[in-house]
């Protein structure tokens, strides 16, 4: 049994989680990262398989990976040779999902002063993913290729635990599917074995309160729109 105050704290950690796209250079102690991962590892997984593997990047190692990916991203011909290993998004977009996708995209670009015809500006903003939005800590998550769909569900709970545990420590995150396109570069740079597949990346650090992109708060549907109560 938890107290009302404990409930409030947990709820605040969850509801204050946002995808932060500009971080301060303030370092994050390794002990804090380890503590977050230790808490996150309490996520449930089918028959306790614990399918997650985490590659934590800081300093020169993070910069090397970012430099290699950005070099490929900036070269249109080279970029086209890099494709995702799995479909994160639907192969066919329909409403209401495509409407939500468009809205959050244009809401972000509007904050940044990017118009629809500013393709270069939008590409540059997307490229900031590969710098982990200047966060001091970048994480790459992998899963063994033998694992199936259920383990990916488990993985999502692990990722959410990381983000909530980070908020409990005054830190922020941004989960990043953008890294999946450049899985070959990541595997080479990190020396990953053939059986490991890239799930996503994540930036971790302290949000820069002066950056306008960090004011974006995405909309959520009310419970009545997505839940049925059957008695």
């Amino acid at each position: 049994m938890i107290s009302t105050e404990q409930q409030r704290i947990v709820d605040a950690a969850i509801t204050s989680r946002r995808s932060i796209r500009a971080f301060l250079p303030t370092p994050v102690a390794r002990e804090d990262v380890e503590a977050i991962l230790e808490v996150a590892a309490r996520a449930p997984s089918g028959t306790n398989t614990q399918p997650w593997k985490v590659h934590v990047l800081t300093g020169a190692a993070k910069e090397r990976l970012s430099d290699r990916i950005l070099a490929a991203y900036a070269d249109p011909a080279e970029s086209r040779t890099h494709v995702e290993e799995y479909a994160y998004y639907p192969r066919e977009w329909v409403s209401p999902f495509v409407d939500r996708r468009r809205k959050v995209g244009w809401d972000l670009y509007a904050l940044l002063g990017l118009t629809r015809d500013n393709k270069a500006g939008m590409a540059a903003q997307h490229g900031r993913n590969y710098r982990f939005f200047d966060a001091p800590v970048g994480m790459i998550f992998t899963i063994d290729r033998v694992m199936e769909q259920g383990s990916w569900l488990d993985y999502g709970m692990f990722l959410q635990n990381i983000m909530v545990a980070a908020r409990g420590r005054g830190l922020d995150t941004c989960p990043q599917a953008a890294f999946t396109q450049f899985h070959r570069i990541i595997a080479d740079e990190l020396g990953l074995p053939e059986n490991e597949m890239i799930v996503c990346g994540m930036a971790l650090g302290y949000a820069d309160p002066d950056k306008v992109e960090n004011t974006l708060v995405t909309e959520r549907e009310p419970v009545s729109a997505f839940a049925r109560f059957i008695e």
Side-chain angles (χ1 to χ4, degrees), residues 222-229:
V223 172
S224 59
F226 63 80
R228 294 174 62 209
F229 293 84

Side-chain angles (χ1 to χ4, degrees), residues 111-133:
L111 286 172
L112 294 167
L114 296 172
T115 57
R116 292 174 186 267
D117 59 343
N118 189 351
K119 304 300 183 185
M122 289 188 285
Q125 175 61 27
H126 182 75
R128 283 182 45 73
N129 272 285
Y130 306 120
R131 290 281 180 208
F132 294 95
F133 297 110

Side-chain angles (χ1 to χ4, degrees), residues 20 23-34 36-37 54-63 65-66 128-141 162 166 171-176 179 201-206:
I20 294 300
F23 289 84
L24 296 170
T26 308
V28 177
R30 176 169 173 168
E31 308 88 81
D32 288 335
V33 179
E34 290 179 346
I36 288 168
L37 294 176
V54 189
H55 309 267
V56 183
L57 300 166
T58 59
K62 183 171 70 72
E63 292 305 310
L65 179 63
S66 293
R128 283 182 45 73
N129 272 285
Y130 306 120
R131 290 281 180 208
F132 294 95
F133 297 110
D134 298 321
V137 178
M139 291 182 280
I140 297 293
F141 300 92
I162 291 175
L171 291 158
D172 284 284
T173 56
C174 186
Q176 298 166 277
F179 280 100
M202 186 182 292
L204 171 69
Y206 295 94

